[in-house]
């Protein structure tokens, strides 16, 4: 792992007994001594602390910055009120997904959080396609922590009492002992929680204060993956990528009416012709939830068939594993739209053997956001 970068919390992870692995060019904790299963269940029951400092943090500033960014995403950026944030999607000219991201309106500029593996390309994309009047600044001197779970507010309000007033997708700046922290009430586990951007030099102190609380345990990438899978949330590069459109990816809910056909600002984003057509007439394939009927997980790459004896594959699993909260295997994948109805029986091929599964609604575990 000598060539990987390290987040400001690397020494904290090692001190906590984390098993470190390479991920998106960084040395990251995959699990702690508690283990993936217990980390997952602890996050669902109390609060888990995640290091997400490897993700990209970007500030966009300049005149009409919301209008400018709308030319690159199919979501309504103009409609994001000050102090709020929204899930967004970078698309290409073919309607494929370059990355998914969070977009916050600070009242003065836009604050973006993009995926670690895509951040170099995303920043280049922004600089290449936004007007020269828009400044694109990558933030490299701040850490990013996620505190997730039903006890996240109880823990964080001991340090920042004002977070108790926040609701899901609020994004605000706080003065904490003379330092500015940017906190959003969001995350990627399906649980209530917060993402906290703060100066890199303050990250270890915050992490140590939080894990010293009874409610909080440090959580690694293993449980982060199983939590987001149970929540039915996409992992970029697996469930969505440049070959999938937002409609195929079943994230069309992120495209507001104002950007769709008949809306006041319809289209005008890369791939609009394909995406708008799919919104009106359905795509030929779509991402669905899948429940294997046995105890064997069906992981990424498992090929799907419409019957036990069919010779022609109809789809593929893109994410899969054991769902600790569900207590059973769960998966997501792409199937032709005609096979997407809830309860549709399918077969997955695991090590040369066909095993039954069926299409299930997403999420597998209900979201617990604070509305």
């Amino acid at each position: 792992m000598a060539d990987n970068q390290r987040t400001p919390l690397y020494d904290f992870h090692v001190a906590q007994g984390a098993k470190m692995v390479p991920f998106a060019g960084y040395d990251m904790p995959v699990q702690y001594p508690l283990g993936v299963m217990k980390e997952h269940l602890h996050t669902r029951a109390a609060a888990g602390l995640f290091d997400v400092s490897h993700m990209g943090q970007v500030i966009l500033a300049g005149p009409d910055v919301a209008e400018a960014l709308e030319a690159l995403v199919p979501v309504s950026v103009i409609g994001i009120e000050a102090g709020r944030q929204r899930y967004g999607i970078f698309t290409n000219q073919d309607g494929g997904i370059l990355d998914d991201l969070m977009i916050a309106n600070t009242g003065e500029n836009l604050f973006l959080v993009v995926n670690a593996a895509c951040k170099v390309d995303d920043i280049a994309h922004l600089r290449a396609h936004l007007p020269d009047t828009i400044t694109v600044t990558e933030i490299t001197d701040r850490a990013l922590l996620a505190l997730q779970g039903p006890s996240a507010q109880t823990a964080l309000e001991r340090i920042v009492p004002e977070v108790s007033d926040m609701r899901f997708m609020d994004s605000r700046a706080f003065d904490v002992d003379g330092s500015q922290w940017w906190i959003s009430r969001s995350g990627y586990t399906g649980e209530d929680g917060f993402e906290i951007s703060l100066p890199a030099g303050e990250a270890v102190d915050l992490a140590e204060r939080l894990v010293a609380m009874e409610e909080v345990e440090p959580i690694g990438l293993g449980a982060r993956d199983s939590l987001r899978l149970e929540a039915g949330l996409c992992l970029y590069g697996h469930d969505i990528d440049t070959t999938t459109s937002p409609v195929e990816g079943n994230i069309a809910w992120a495209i507001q009416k104002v950007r769709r056909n008949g809306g006041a600002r319809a289209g005008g984003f890369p791939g609009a012709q394909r995406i708008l057509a799919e919104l009106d007439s359905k795509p030929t394939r779509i991402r669905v939830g899948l429940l294997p009927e046995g105890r064997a997980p069906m992981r990424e790459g498992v090929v799907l068939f419409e019957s036990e004896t069919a010779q022609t594959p109809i789809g593929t699993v893109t994410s899969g594993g054991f769902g600790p909260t569900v207590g059973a295997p769960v998966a997501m994948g792409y199937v032709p739209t005609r096979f997407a109805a809830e309860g549709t029986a399918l077969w997955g091929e695991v090590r040369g053997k066909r095993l039954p599964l069926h299409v299930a609604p997403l999420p597998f575990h209900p979201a617990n956001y604070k509305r």
Side-chain angles (χ1 to χ4, degrees):
M1 298 192 290
D3 295 333
N4 290 319
Q5 299 182 67
R6 294 178 174 179
T7 76
L9 287 166
Y10 177 86
D11 290 339
F12 166 83
H13 300 314
V14 173
Q16 293 287 324
K19 177 183 178 182
M20 306 298 289
V21 299
F23 180 80
Y26 286 80
D27 292 343
M28 296 295 292
V30 67
Q31 68 179 73
Y32 295 86
L34 194 62
V36 173
M37 176 79 75
K38 289 182 179 178
E39 290 174 29
H40 177 114
L41 295 173
H42 185 87
T43 303
R44 291 269 186 250
L49 180 66
F50 303 77
D51 180 11
V52 288
S53 303
H54 59 311
M55 299 184 75
Q57 301 182 63
V58 183
I59 293 287
L60 303 184
D64 301 319
V65 64
E67 290 87 338
L69 185 59
E70 273 202 6
L72 300 183
V73 298
V75 306
S76 172
V77 183
I78 294 172
I80 306 173
E81 299 176 2
R84 296 283 291 166
Q85 70 174 12
R86 175 167 286 167
Y87 178 78
I89 312 151
F90 285 132
T91 52
N92 61 24
Q93 293 299 329
D94 297 323
I97 301 170
L98 295 172
D99 197 12
D100 58 343
L101 68 153
M102 299 302 299
I103 308 166
N105 179 356
T106 71
E108 298 178 354
N109 48 48
L110 298 179
F111 174 52
L112 314 184
V113 176
V114 301
N115 283 304
C118 302
K119 65 183 178 182
V120 172
D121 290 341
D122 287 350
I123 291 168
H125 180 67
L126 289 163
R127 288 176 173 156
H129 297 289
L130 288 175
D132 293 340
T133 53
I134 304 299
T135 302
V136 180
T137 304
E138 181 182 7
I139 306 301
T140 58
D141 60 352
R142 297 178 76 87
L144 189 65
L145 283 71
L147 184 65
Q148 300 284 290
S151 299
Q153 176 180 311
T154 299
L156 187 57
E157 68 184 355
R158 295 186 183 117
I159 301 170
V160 189
E162 299 89 345
V163 299
S164 61
D165 297 330
M166 298 178 72
R167 58 195 171 102
F168 183 57
M169 292 302 237
D170 278 352
S171 180
R172 292 165 53 185
F174 295 89
D175 184 290
V176 182
D177 297 327
S179 179
Q180 189 174 80
W181 294 10
W182 307 335
I183 301 177
S184 65
R185 192 152 198 164
S186 61
Y188 219 62
T189 62
E191 296 295 333
D192 184 22
F194 303 88
E195 293 197 345
I196 308 149
S197 172
L198 75 169
E202 300 172 23
V204 170
D205 178 67
L206 174 60
E208 289 177 343
R209 291 176 69 183
L210 287 170
V211 298
M213 300 177 189
E214 183 179 0
E215 298 91 347
V216 183
E217 290 285 349
I219 310 296
L221 293 173
R224 182 173 172 84
D225 191 55
S226 58
L227 287 159
R228 68 91 195 167
L229 176 56
E230 284 189 341
L233 300 172
C234 294
L235 178 62
Y236 187 81
H238 300 260
D239 306 297
I240 50 174
D241 56 29
T242 56
T243 70
T244 56
S245 75
V247 187
E248 288 179 327
N250 210 352
I251 51 175
W253 51 263
I255 305 175
Q256 288 73 34
K257 290 182 179 180
V258 72
R259 304 302 309 275
R260 302 184 181 208
N261 283 328
R265 300 193 307 280
F269 52 84
Q273 182 175 359
R274 172 190 175 185
I275 293 169
L276 294 178
E278 288 181 350
L279 284 169
D280 289 341
S281 60
K282 295 186 179 181
T284 58
R285 63 171 187 158
I286 195 164
R287 177 179 64 97
V288 296
L290 300 164
L291 282 178
E293 294 179 13
R295 298 294 292 177
M298 294 192 186
R299 303 189 186 277
E300 180 179 0
V302 166
V303 178
L304 303 174
F305 297 85
E306 62 178 305
S307 73
E308 188 174 9
T309 57
Q311 297 299 306
T312 304
I314 62 163
T316 309
V317 171
T318 53
S319 284
F322 186 79
T325 315
V326 177
V330 293
M332 299 188 296
Y334 284 83
V335 299
T337 307
R338 67 183 185 277
F339 293 104
E342 180 181 343
T344 300
L346 299 171
W347 294 79
E349 191 163 287
V350 181
R351 294 185 291 276
K353 184 178 180 180
R354 298 279 176 92
L355 300 174
L357 71 162
H358 63 271
V359 175
L362 295 171
F364 300 108
H365 179 72
N368 293 311
Y369 305 131
K370 180 181 178 181
R371 299 294 182 179

